[in-house]
Amino acid sequence: MKNTAAKTFLLFFIISSLGATAQNKKKVTGYYQIILYNFSTGDQQKTLDDYLKNAYLPALHSQQIRNAGVFTPVTNDTAANKKLYVIIPLKSFEQAATLADKIASNQQYQANAKTYLEAAYNNPPYTRMEKILLEQFSMAPFFNLPKLKSSNADKIYELRSYESATENIFANKVEMFNEGGEIKLFDRLNFNAIFYARVIAGSHMPNLMYMTSFENMNDRDEHWKKFVASEEWKRLSALPHYQNNVSKNEITLMKATDYSDY
């Protein structure tokens, strides 16, 4: 392991340890990395698409990471600050810590990523990049490919982020998903969830993120109507034990790019 990777691994380990809850004490078998690009111009979008399609995803595939998703919010067309999400499933903490070094050492990647890597300071491919590291929930399976039949043009992917006021309150919200039965309800209603995970390194903490998928926007709306109307949710959301455990939530509705792995 390279020295920089070792330092990164140690940093992530410390962050994870400091945020320990009952969730951490159970066996964890998967992690996720989200790379969020912010950009504003068509040229930046083209550079990012070319880079991800021709360099970064092939480099991930060379590391046996076959199911990296690349998504753009449905609001991108009219937004001044546009976004692009890369969601990468990772099987171990060490894989998360060493991935960047392994990709950088890939000579084919270096050749294919030349335009992106050598962009000038006054012509960058993005306005900001953020990386988020997540750990899967204890009672959630590690990464599910969605079982959808519609075309990519119709499919909707929904990424949700729930922040809490304190670490203890956040642990309560995570419990609500796991032991409380929220994940079971999503499963029963066939939300085609891709992952449920808590953020262990990122700019918004403490928070959790999860991603569901739907055939189209109408399908998405119908699923949420059934969720809110369900007896399980009415009972769970009314329990005093689970009150006021979310201080801020963000909902991002997205479409997969034509080169996304799913």
Side-chain angles (χ1 to χ4, degrees):
M1 183 186 300
K2 293 185 178 181
N3 189 46
T4 55
K7 290 179 180 178
T8 303
F9 179 83
L10 179 61
L11 177 60
F12 282 156
F13 180 81
I14 292 171
I15 292 171
S16 183
S17 298
L18 290 175
T21 65
Q23 155 78 7
N24 300 73
K25 298 175 184 178
K26 299 182 180 181
K27 184 178 180 181
V28 175
T29 57
Y31 296 84
Y32 302 91
Q33 183 183 83
I34 297 178
I35 305 174
L36 171 57
Y37 292 99
N38 292 265
F39 64 96
S40 59
T41 70
D43 286 343
Q44 286 179 319
Q45 181 171 5
K46 184 179 185 308
T47 299
L48 286 172
D49 283 335
D50 288 346
Y51 164 70
L52 293 170
K53 179 179 180 179
N54 299 315
Y56 193 72
L57 261 63
L60 290 178
H61 298 162
S62 74
Q63 295 298 315
Q64 307 306 310
I65 299 171
R66 303 292 182 185
N67 294 310
V70 185
F71 307 92
T72 56
V74 297
T75 57
N76 260 14
D77 287 346
T78 57
N81 178 41
K82 304 177 191 299
K83 298 181 179 181
L84 188 152
Y85 291 80
V86 184
I87 300 177
I88 308 166
L90 301 164
K91 293 181 179 179
S92 70
F93 213 59
E94 184 174 6
Q95 187 180 33
T98 60
L99 183 62
D101 281 343
K102 287 182 177 179
I103 287 178
S105 66
N106 183 319
Q107 295 303 309
Q108 189 62 55
Y109 164 80
Q110 290 288 337
N112 293 344
K114 186 178 177 64
T115 300
Y116 172 91
L117 294 175
E118 298 182 3
Y121 78 94
N122 57 355
N123 188 29
Y126 51 81
T127 55
R128 176 175 293 172
M129 180 183 69
E130 176 184 352
K131 289 187 178 181
I132 307 165
L133 184 65
L134 305 98
E135 176 185 84
Q136 77 171 85
F137 281 178
S138 61
M139 297 180 68
F142 173 59
F143 187 78
N144 280 323
L145 278 174
K147 299 179 178 65
L148 301 174
K149 298 178 181 178
S150 55
S151 68
N152 276 356
D154 291 326
K155 291 175 187 174
I156 291 292
Y157 296 86
E158 182 167 0
L159 182 66
R160 290 199 171 207
S161 171
Y162 292 170
E163 297 178 42
S164 299
T166 70
E167 290 95 330
N168 282 345
I169 296 172
F170 170 72
N172 175 269
K173 181 58 183 176
V174 173
E175 178 193 298
M176 190 176 181
F177 269 87
N178 288 286
E179 291 83 1
E182 200 166 343
I183 289 174
K184 290 182 179 179
L185 177 56
F186 280 117
D187 287 346
R188 183 179 74 76
L189 296 178
N190 193 29
F191 266 68
N192 266 303
I194 296 168
F195 72 85
Y196 303 90
R198 67 185 194 93
V199 174
I200 59 175
S203 61
H204 301 282
M205 295 180 71
N207 79 309
L208 63 87
M209 301 178 79
Y210 69 98
M211 189 174 182
T212 52
S213 57
F214 309 92
E215 299 289 355
N216 51 53
M217 193 66 78
N218 286 338
D219 183 44
R220 179 259 179 193
D221 293 343
E222 287 301 314
H223 272 78
W224 278 109
K225 286 180 184 178
K226 291 177 182 178
F227 182 94
V228 173
S230 69
E231 290 303 317
E232 296 101 314
W233 178 246
K234 289 179 181 178
R235 177 193 60 80
L236 186 62
S237 61
L239 290 174
H241 179 62
Y242 292 129
Q243 297 306 300
N244 303 309
N245 57 12
V246 174
S247 58
K248 180 180 180 181
N249 69 297
E250 293 185 0
I251 300 171
T252 306
L253 301 178
M254 308 185 295
K255 299 274 191 178
T257 64
D258 60 5
Y259 56 86
S260 178
D261 284 339
Y262 59 92

